[in-house]
């Protein structure tokens, strides 16, 4: 998106005013600008009491709120890059999708993998195995939380794949805060963090439940790796089932409270998967079908010194210049020269004075 229309601006404002479940979608779809004008003039009596809530929020918006409405920071359903899978949500389709990172990954083959925040060693190992194997053929979608989510995101990065975090609050309100570096790395490595909530919105409890439908919609299948009976991951699975997606679960020990939810899911309606191959077979994508270009040609053309620096870079973490020089066995000046070359051809990127390998 290179420019903003009045519809873009109006929808961005509406994302500040309403919550998922509010009857605003059909209203906004009929014309966001006209709906905003009607709200300001008090002509939405048919939407009481929601109109009163929306008007209260509208009156409370800071004067500089439109400063954050910039091209490339969000998508609306009429944009070419809008992820069409979200349209399956019907009246629950987001009015706007705020994005930090490469929005094109939202339209690539994707699998959602979710599970418990209090993951066991078993759950973490299984999530890592699935994410590592699927990264060559699918974008991995999860919620950025502790436990299974984090294992999925980190495994995707380590495998040089791309991953998407679906946030409960604004894309600038990373939750948990301890995962800020992880999310920044995901964005720099070609992934994205997305949210229907506008920048500044708090990751409130009810928003975690509502964002689960976005995780389910963005994936062609949802896999629950490990979850207790009251886990929010089961909410994601239910949404996936309602959307007609494949719903899969990894069984766990019958004595494990951490797997009681996944085992129940298997009894109710989920499909049992015990390996990434099981899931790929369900999706009809047996064998890798890489979604990302390989670096082989570019790498082969590099000078040996530049190859050493590139090999010292990682996709899973940002590294300092001194650390890269030590790893490559080069001087700092030699390393800087190589890094600048790698950056110029899109194979490295700098963030806050540190460096990361980039998949292009």
């Amino acid at each position: 998106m290179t420019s903003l229309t009045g519809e873009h601006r109006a929808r961005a404002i509406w994302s500040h005013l309403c919550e998922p479940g509010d009857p605003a979608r059909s209203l906004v779809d009929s014309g966001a600008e006209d709906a905003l004008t009607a709200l300001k003039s008090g002509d939405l009596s048919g939407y009481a009491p929601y109109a009163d809530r929306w008007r209260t929020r509208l009156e409370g918006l800071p004067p500089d709120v439109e400063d954050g409405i910039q091209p490339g920071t969000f998508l609306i359903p009429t944009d070419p890059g809008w992820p069409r899978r979200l349209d399956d949500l019907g009246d629950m389709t987001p009015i706007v999708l705020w994005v930090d990172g490469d929005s094109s990954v939202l339209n690539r083959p994707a699998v959602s993998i979710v599970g418990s925040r209090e993951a066991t060693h078993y759950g973490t190992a299984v999530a890592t195995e699935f994410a590592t194997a699927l990264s060559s053929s699918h974008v991995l979608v999860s919620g950025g939380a502790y436990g299974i989510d984090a294992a999925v995101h980190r495994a995707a990065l380590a495998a040089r794949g791309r991953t998407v975090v679906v946030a409960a609050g604004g894309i600038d309100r990373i939750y948990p805060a301890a995962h800020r570096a992880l999310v920044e790395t995901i964005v720099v490595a070609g992934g994205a963090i997305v949210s229907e909530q506008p920048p500044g919105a708090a990751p409130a409890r009810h928003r975690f439940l509502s964002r689960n439908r976005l995780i389910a919609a963005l994936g062609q299948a949802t896999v629950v790796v490990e979850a207790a009976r009251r886990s929010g991951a089961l909410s994601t699975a239910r949404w996936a089932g309602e959307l007609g997606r494949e719903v899969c679960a990894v069984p766990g020990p019958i004595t494990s409270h951490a797997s009681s939810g996944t085992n129940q899911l298997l009894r109710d309606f989920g499909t049992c998967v015990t390996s990434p191959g099981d899931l790929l077979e369900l999706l009809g994508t047996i064998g890798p079908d890489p979604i990302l270009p390989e670096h082989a040609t570019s790498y082969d053309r590099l000078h040996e010194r530049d190859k050493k620096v590139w090999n010292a870079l990682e996709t899973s973490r940002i590294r300092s210049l001194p650390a890269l020089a030590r790893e490559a066995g080069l001087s700092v000046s030699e390393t800087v020269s190589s890094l600048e070359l790698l950056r110029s051809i899109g194979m490295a990127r700098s963030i806050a004075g540190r460096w990361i390998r980039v998949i292009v």
Side-chain angles (χ1 to χ4, degrees):
M1 183 174 66
T2 57
S3 61
L4 294 176
T5 64
E7 183 73 7
H8 283 98
R9 295 184 183 280
R11 280 181 175 265
I13 293 296
W14 272 104
S15 74
H16 286 267
L17 308 183
C18 56
E19 295 286 336
D22 286 2
R25 174 67 200 228
S26 58
L27 177 67
V28 172
D29 281 352
S30 298
E33 290 182 277
D34 291 342
L36 198 56
T37 299
L39 179 65
K40 293 176 180 177
S41 62
D43 292 340
L44 292 180
S45 57
Y47 286 85
Y50 294 99
D52 292 336
R53 300 175 191 171
W54 300 335
R55 194 173 299 108
T56 298
R57 282 192 174 181
L58 181 63
E59 293 169 353
L61 290 180
D64 62 350
V65 67
E66 291 206 23
D67 293 344
I69 304 175
Q70 299 296 328
T73 58
F74 65 96
L75 296 167
I76 68 173
T78 55
D79 287 331
W82 176 263
R84 299 264 68 98
R85 294 189 195 103
L86 291 181
D87 296 341
D88 293 343
L89 289 165
D91 290 341
M92 292 295 288
T93 302
I95 290 172
V96 162
L97 192 67
W98 296 87
V99 182
D100 184 14
D102 184 357
S103 61
S104 71
V105 299
L106 302 173
N107 286 296
R108 294 180 176 177
V111 171
S112 301
I113 305 180
V114 294
S116 175
R117 287 176 170 81
E118 299 177 355
T120 66
H121 175 73
Y122 165 77
T124 300
V126 170
T128 299
E129 178 189 358
F130 271 71
T132 300
L134 292 166
S135 289
S136 64
S137 57
H138 291 78
V139 172
L140 299 181
V141 181
S142 200
Y146 289 122
I148 298 301
D149 291 10
V152 169
H153 295 308
R154 290 192 173 107
L157 289 172
R160 294 164 53 186
R162 298 196 187 186
T163 182
V164 172
V165 175
V166 183
I171 55 177
D172 59 338
R173 296 285 297 269
I174 308 301
Y175 185 89
H179 282 175
R180 177 167 295 278
L182 174 61
V183 173
E184 289 175 350
T185 303
I186 288 169
V187 170
V188 170
I193 176 173
V194 302
S195 178
E196 64 185 317
Q197 301 297 332
R205 181 179 177 85
H206 66 282
R207 290 173 178 163
F208 282 97
L209 290 175
S210 63
R211 70 86 192 261
N212 287 343
R213 77 190 197 286
L214 304 186
I215 296 176
L218 286 171
Q220 295 165 278
T222 289
V223 182
V224 184
V225 170
E226 184 177 55
R229 287 181 183 271
R230 296 179 61 83
S231 172
L234 300 183
S235 163
T236 306
R238 286 190 290 272
W239 269 107
E242 291 179 16
L243 292 170
R245 306 290 198 263
E246 291 282 359
V247 179
C248 306
V250 179
I254 61 173
T255 55
S256 172
H257 171 74
S259 290
S260 58
T262 48
N263 292 341
Q264 179 67 50
L265 181 60
L266 290 173
R267 287 194 294 273
D268 292 344
F269 65 93
T271 299
C272 178
V273 289
T274 58
S275 72
D278 292 344
L279 179 59
L280 288 170
E281 185 174 0
L282 280 172
L283 293 171
T285 55
I286 297 177
D289 181 20
I291 58 174
L292 305 174
E294 296 183 355
H295 281 302
T297 303
S298 298
Y299 180 83
D300 290 343
R301 290 199 298 264
L302 292 176
H303 185 278
E304 286 304 313
R305 183 190 70 181
D306 303 324
K307 288 181 179 179
K308 291 179 181 178
V309 175
W310 192 81
N311 287 330
L313 291 165
E314 297 182 30
T315 57
S316 57
R317 63 174 174 148
I318 303 170
R319 304 199 66 186
S320 68
L321 177 59
L324 288 171
R326 287 193 298 270
E327 179 75 18
L330 301 170
S331 68
V332 170
S333 61
E334 288 176 312
T335 305
V336 168
S337 177
S338 289
L339 286 169
E340 291 300 334
L341 170 69
L342 293 170
R343 175 160 59 181
S344 71
I345 60 177
M347 294 179 69
R349 189 174 299 176
S350 174
I351 178 169
R354 297 161 74 86
W355 293 83
I356 191 168
R357 182 188 294 179
V358 177
I359 299 173
V360 295

